[in-house]
Amino acid sequence: GIEPAVDYITRITHAYDYDAATPGNGYRSILTVVHKCTAHILQLCRYITLNRDSFLFRGGHYSRELHAYVTTLGQLRACLFYLQKLSTYTSQGELMPDEDKLSTEDFKTAEELMIEVENLDQETFYGRCLAFQYCQSMQKPLTTINLVMASFSEGYTQSSTVMKFANSIIGGSKYVMDPESRAARVVNVTRNGDINFCKAFWQMNEHPLMHNLPLFICPPVRLDKVLILPADDFEIDLLSGEAATITVPCVHTGPAPVHTRLISYELREGQVSMRPQVKTSWSIVLQEQWLPDLSENVARAVAPMSHALLIHIHGGGFVAQSSASHEVYLRHWAKELNAPVLSIDYSLAPENPFPRQLEEAFFAYCWAVKNSRLLGSTGERICIAGDSAGGNLAVAIAMRAKECGIRQPDGVLSTYGSMLVKYSPSPSRILALMDPLLPIGILSKCLAAYAGIRVEGGLKFPKSCSTSDFGSALVPDFDQRVKGGSPDSGCCLAEKSMSHKATSSTDSGFIEGEDPAKESSDDERVSQLVQQLKDGAHDVDQSLRNRPLKHSPSQPNFSTFHHSSTPVTSAPLFAKIKEEETEPSPMSLFHHMPLAKNPYMSPLLASDKQLEDLCPVYLVACQLDPILDDSIMFARRLRALKQPVHLDVLPDLPHGFLNFVLISPEAKKASELCISRMLEVL
């Protein structure tokens, strides 16, 4: 059933790559997931065939495993369907529909495709099949995170800490034994929980115990201190020779100091040279946070200033985490780069939406450029690095520095950064349907919170059907098939209302000229095959096995879709959701707001003039990341302007892999790649 769609997408996917040496885009990512799911099913079937006669063979367990993966493959078939429809609304090689090139109606239809994707059933991806698409070293950690999320949600609404802990423990034991219940819980809380739940869960990394973890298992550093940059304006030299005043961040919540963290593998000159008699405001604050007493032995061990400086901006969806929760890799970076690392702790949304984060990060960058010697660096070479939300801010800082005439960094490293906060459909964003760290609900709420949109609750579903109605639209119920149940048990609402008369392939998406009344039942043949396999027959009827399946009237023939600018008009694969019965996705709420096109919020939307003469940009993206297409399209924009840019697409790793460098060899290797890119800058 999925082979025609796979063939179609395989033929077009090369047109969306950055270049021949860097294959990667959302189309390839979905194909990768499909192939991995298919391979897992084949492996599972082979294991069952070889071991089902064993005395210790757990038939029930493997039946449920097979059911789960077959259901997952069915949902992936739905994803392929939407990929094909989406490709008709994009120009050749473009991964996102261009609002300026499409009519208002066509662009709206393209956006509605993603809202339909959001309404697909997610539970199959978060149960027994959770994280199957990633490298093996990441599967258990991601499963553990989802288990903790489900358990955490049990006690989240309790006011008492004791009750929170008790409910989490009780719920956790249940979810360990029941993957289906865990999946239902995770999908429910990520779709319907508010942004405060996302913040509370991600902020678990900020527990003092987690802060102390790097002290024991990460490379030791001589300096790891919080620096508070006071709320005072200061002057900075421009490239033109003139001076400009950098004002204190004040949007939304008024003037306030900016918190940063300085990490240095060695004590360096400048870091320990301050004296109390120096009465400037910044030195007083730094002195309070510094090492107050230095013995002569320590003083003699002070290293000279580094010529390099790394300015880091942490991720967390603009709503959570801090520099402390990213020390698991920052300490390693400080050692390998042999340079001080200044990590910026910007204010978090939704209490502080855009542009507060950008103001604070830019203020800290300018302060570091002016006072690099106080950080133990001559400032000869400066690199800005950020992951996820931090990757977005890192690029925005470089753009703003260029526009203001301030010295730009010598290079920017954006690791799985979001370059388009504006709601826009793309192939890779379909991966949010199955991402353990960035599910659809969390991704949309975080971006909406950054844009300043208050969303109470999560995505709303039609009152007339539940998410399970969508989940069975493509895959007949496995148990019903084994029991010889109704062949129509897996049909969706739209399919049941269709006429069984064949129509032309161009209009309906079905195979042309088929008369279902004259075709033998595929369901009957499947039932016969299943029954023979259940009876232990190793030599089943070859005439049944080799006879090709026909397209049933309720199955779309994907091979009839064509890559063109004309929208595909085909019978709906799922029940159509009535507009008055559902609320829009959070991200579609600010589609018409001017803020949606702000280039500092979404660097991908910056004008050619704003991107010209930008410092070199290094983009590290993940093949299975929902925001992969952001990096690819941004790299293509820069290349078209002949700007220095380098793109790496890493296979089999999830969004946020830098936080897993201590437990995943693949993540550690990817972190080393980031280090090599920063060394090119420094």
Side-chain angles (χ1 to χ4, degrees):
I2 66 171
E3 190 171 2
V6 171
D7 289 343
Y8 169 85
I9 294 175
T10 301
R11 288 196 301 270
I12 68 171
T13 189
H14 68 279
Y16 301 92
D17 292 333
Y18 174 68
D19 57 31
T22 317
N25 56 68
Y27 292 102
R28 287 190 184 274
S29 300
I30 298 293
L31 285 180
T32 297
V33 177
V34 170
H35 286 307
K36 288 191 174 186
C37 183
T38 308
H40 196 96
I41 290 174
L42 290 173
Q43 185 180 10
L44 190 58
C45 289
R46 289 174 182 143
Y47 181 85
I48 292 171
T49 302
L50 293 174
N51 296 279
R52 63 186 172 192
D53 294 330
S54 170
F55 177 74
L56 298 177
F57 181 73
R58 298 178 293 163
H61 167 76
Y62 287 106
S63 291
R64 289 188 290 271
E65 287 279 315
L66 192 58
H67 185 193
Y69 278 96
V70 170
T71 304
T72 298
L73 191 61
Q75 290 304 98
L76 289 172
R77 183 185 177 190
C79 295
L80 294 171
F81 169 80
Y82 285 114
L83 277 185
Q84 290 185 289
K85 294 190 73 175
L86 183 61
S87 69
T88 64
Y89 291 97
T90 57
S91 304
Q92 184 71 22
E94 297 291 322
L95 288 164
M96 301 168 186
D98 191 334
E99 188 174 1
D100 297 329
K101 297 179 182 178
L102 290 176
S103 66
T104 303
E105 182 179 352
D106 285 346
F107 189 79
K108 182 180 179 181
T109 304
E111 285 191 323
E112 288 173 349
L113 282 176
M114 292 303 295
I115 296 177
E116 289 185 47
V117 170
E118 292 177 356
N119 286 340
L120 288 173
D121 178 36
Q122 288 180 261
E123 291 184 15
T124 183
F125 296 110
Y126 291 89
R128 297 175 183 272
C129 304
L130 179 66
F132 74 91
Q133 65 269 36
Y134 302 110
C135 59
Q136 190 171 2
S137 64
M138 288 301 310
Q139 292 175 7
K140 287 186 177 179
L142 293 174
T143 301
T144 302
I145 288 175
N146 275 251
L147 177 63
V148 173
M149 179 186 291
S151 303
F152 177 78
S153 67
E154 290 282 353
Y156 172 68
T157 56
Q158 298 290 333
S159 57
S160 168
T161 304
V162 175
M163 290 302 298
K164 282 185 178 182
F165 180 76
N167 285 354
S168 298
I169 294 297
I170 295 172
S173 59
K174 173 181 66 177
Y175 295 130
V176 169
M177 304 302 297
D178 190 350
E180 287 75 18
S181 295
R182 180 193 68 210
R185 186 68 180 180
V186 168
V187 171
N188 181 48
V189 299
T190 55
R191 282 182 180 266
N192 302 318
D194 58 19
I195 190 64
N196 293 322
F197 172 80
C198 303
K199 287 174 67 74
F201 177 69
W202 282 350
Q203 288 297 92
M204 292 174 67
N205 270 358
E206 302 303 316
H207 191 277
L209 179 63
M210 299 299 294
H211 284 187
N212 291 329
L213 187 63
L215 300 177
F216 302 100
I217 56 180
C218 296
V221 295
R222 297 289 301 277
L223 190 61
D224 183 355
K225 288 291 181 179
V226 172
L227 277 66
I228 303 176
L229 311 184
D232 293 334
D233 299 346
F234 62 90
E235 288 191 346
I236 189 171
D237 294 332
L238 302 180
L239 296 177
S240 62
E242 300 177 350
T245 300
I246 303 299
T247 57
V248 177
C250 58
V251 67
H252 296 307
T253 54
V258 177
H259 290 244
T260 63
R261 178 183 297 273
L262 181 62
I263 301 175
S264 183
Y265 184 68
E266 296 181 281
L267 286 177
R268 296 184 178 276
E269 293 179 7
Q271 294 175 347
V272 295
S273 62
M274 290 171 293
R275 294 292 182 266
Q277 62 267 24
V278 182
K279 296 300 183 182
T280 57
S281 58
W282 50 262
S283 68
I284 293 174
V285 175
L286 293 178
Q287 184 67 28
E288 291 174 354
Q289 300 292 334
W290 223 259
L291 303 174
D293 298 315
L294 296 172
S295 65
E296 293 183 3
N297 292 334
V298 173
R300 283 196 295 268
V302 172
M305 289 187 183
S306 171
H307 76 285
L309 174 65
L310 175 66
I311 299 175
H312 170 262
I313 311 174
H314 69 81
F318 302 103
V319 303
Q321 300 191 1
S322 68
S323 59
S325 56
H326 287 63
E327 278 193 68
V328 290
Y329 64 87
L330 286 181
R331 285 171 168 251
H332 184 64
W333 284 10
K335 177 182 178 181
E336 295 300 319
L337 296 174
N338 195 29
V341 177
L342 182 71
S343 187
I344 303 170
D345 283 319
Y346 52 84
S347 298
L348 302 174
E351 295 81 8
N352 298 276
F354 177 87
R356 182 73 188 201
Q357 294 85 346
L358 178 59
E359 279 196 355
E360 294 183 352
F362 184 69
F363 181 86
Y365 167 75
C366 293
W367 186 94
V369 170
K370 180 180 176 66
N371 301 289
S372 60
R373 290 183 171 273
L374 296 176
L375 303 175
S377 171
T378 62
E380 180 184 343
R381 304 290 293 180
I382 298 178
C383 176
I384 300 183
D387 62 290
S388 192
N392 171 292
L393 292 170
V395 174
I397 287 174
M399 290 170 52
R400 190 166 182 180
K402 167 189 169 292
E403 189 162 344
C404 294
I406 298 171
R407 174 197 169 173
Q408 290 189 65
D410 295 285
V412 171
L413 172 70
S414 174
T415 307
Y416 42 82
S418 172
M419 298 299 155
L420 185 65
V421 177
K422 171 178 171 287
Y423 185 86
S424 185
S426 81
S428 72
R429 295 200 179 190
I430 295 179
L431 290 169
L433 192 69
M434 61 197 80
D435 194 284
L437 295 175
L438 273 185
I440 283 178
I442 288 181
L443 176 61
S444 59
K445 290 187 190 72
C446 289
L447 297 181
Y450 184 50
I453 299 175
R454 297 280 181 164
V455 181
E456 299 298 333
L459 303 179
K460 303 298 183 183
F461 293 91
K463 300 172 184 177
S464 58
C465 58
S466 66
T467 54
S468 60
D469 293 323
F470 297 94
S472 61
L474 286 172
V475 183
D477 188 272
F478 187 79
D479 296 331
Q480 289 292 329
R481 287 287 185 256
V482 174
K483 297 174 183 177
S486 168
D488 295 328
S489 61
C491 294
C492 68
L493 302 179
E495 290 171 350
K496 292 180 180 179
S497 63
M498 286 181 193
S499 168
H500 285 280
K501 184 176 180 179
T503 56
S504 69
S505 60
T506 305
D507 295 332
S508 69
F510 302 148
I511 229 166
E512 186 175 359
E514 285 190 343
D515 183 359
K518 296 181 181 180
E519 298 292 341
S520 60
S521 169
D522 289 332
D523 295 311
E524 181 181 350
R525 179 166 71 88
V526 172
S527 297
Q528 294 179 42
L529 281 169
V530 170
Q531 187 59 47
Q532 291 190 32
L533 290 171
K534 283 182 64 181
D535 294 339
H538 293 275
D539 187 20
V540 298
D541 189 341
Q542 294 301 316
S543 64
L544 293 176
R545 173 174 292 193
N546 297 329
R547 191 195 317 162
L549 287 172
K550 303 293 183 181
H551 290 279
S552 71
S554 61
Q555 291 176 324
N557 176 22
F558 294 104
S559 61
T560 61
F561 296 156
H562 301 286
H563 183 63
S564 67
S565 59
T566 306
V568 175
T569 56
S570 62
L573 196 63
F574 300 98
K576 184 175 178 58
I577 302 173
K578 294 182 180 179
E579 193 169 338
E580 63 271 17
E581 291 183 335
T582 184
E583 294 183 12
S585 167
M587 290 311 299
S588 63
L589 294 176
F590 76 111
H591 169 62
H592 299 290
M593 294 171 56
L595 185 64
K597 297 184 178 181
N598 190 305
Y600 291 111
M601 176 185 278
S602 299
L604 184 59
L605 301 180
S607 66
D608 291 350
K609 184 178 180 180
Q610 289 174 306
L611 296 179
E612 288 173 349
D613 301 321
L614 198 65
C615 64
V617 176
Y618 293 81
L619 301 168
V620 177
C622 303
Q623 180 190 32
L624 301 176
D625 185 359
I627 55 177
L628 162 68
D629 291 341
D630 294 36
S631 295
I632 294 173
M633 292 305 299
F634 190 61
R636 295 179 72 159
R637 279 283 322 271
L638 294 175
R639 183 180 62 182
L641 296 171
K642 295 181 169 45
Q643 290 298 113
V645 60
H646 190 281
L647 172 68
D648 293 290
V649 180
L650 307 177
D652 300 338
L653 283 171
H655 184 93
F657 67 78
L658 285 174
N659 295 95
F660 298 92
V661 293
L662 299 179
I663 54 179
S664 169
E666 289 83 0
K668 184 177 181 181
K669 185 176 180 181
S671 176
E672 291 171 353
L673 173 67
C674 295
I675 292 172
S676 67
R677 299 299 177 226
M678 288 184 287
L679 285 173
E680 291 182 29
V681 175
L682 299 176

